[in-house]
Amino acid sequence: MSHSEQLQELLQRVAALEAREKALSAASNAYQAIITTMLGNMEKTERDRIIAMIDQAHEIAYARAIQRSNEPQKQKIKQADDVAQRMFMFAQGKAAQPR
């Protein structure tokens, strides 16, 4: 395979990855909007109960990742928790603030 062909193949792969990233971002944004809207329309006590359960699940998963010395998993959980906290703040009618 020539360098030109390799470059073309690489460019095609990059384009496919960029398209996948764009699609995943769009899906993620849609799910965030749906979840935020659902939480925002719930009664406060039910919303707070659900948020507490999700917080607890994140804490358990993070503790397990620490226990297993799984740094990539720790980072994924931290990132997911950051997104969840912003959604929770918005659903509760508060300005999003970093945790």
Side-chain angles (χ1 to χ4, degrees):
M1 185 180 276
S2 73
H3 289 295
S4 178
E5 291 171 330
Q6 288 176 333
L7 178 61
Q8 275 306 107
E9 185 178 319
L10 184 59
L11 290 174
Q12 288 173 347
R13 287 182 180 183
V14 167
L17 287 171
E18 287 175 345
R20 178 172 164 78
E21 179 183 16
K22 186 176 181 179
L24 288 172
S25 292
S28 175
N29 290 339
Y31 281 118
Q32 287 177 40
I34 291 166
I35 292 168
T36 301
T37 301
M38 289 173 62
L39 287 170
N41 288 327
M42 290 180 163
E43 289 186 26
K44 183 184 181 325
T45 55
E46 185 68 11
R47 178 181 59 233
D48 290 348
R49 188 179 69 78
I50 290 171
I51 289 172
M53 288 184 341
I54 294 169
D55 281 340
Q56 184 179 22
H58 280 184
E59 288 172 15
I60 291 168
Y62 192 76
R64 286 182 181 162
I66 289 172
Q67 187 178 41
R68 295 177 180 149
S69 299
N70 188 336
E71 192 61 35
Q73 189 68 23
K74 281 175 34 182
Q75 291 305 314
K76 287 178 187 176
I77 294 164
K78 174 102 173 69
Q79 290 170 344
D81 189 57
D82 289 346
V83 170
Q85 293 306 318
R86 285 194 302 274
M87 290 186 332
F88 298 160
M89 296 297 284
F90 190 80
Q92 292 168 328
K94 302 174 184 172
Q97 301 167 357
R99 209 172 178 201

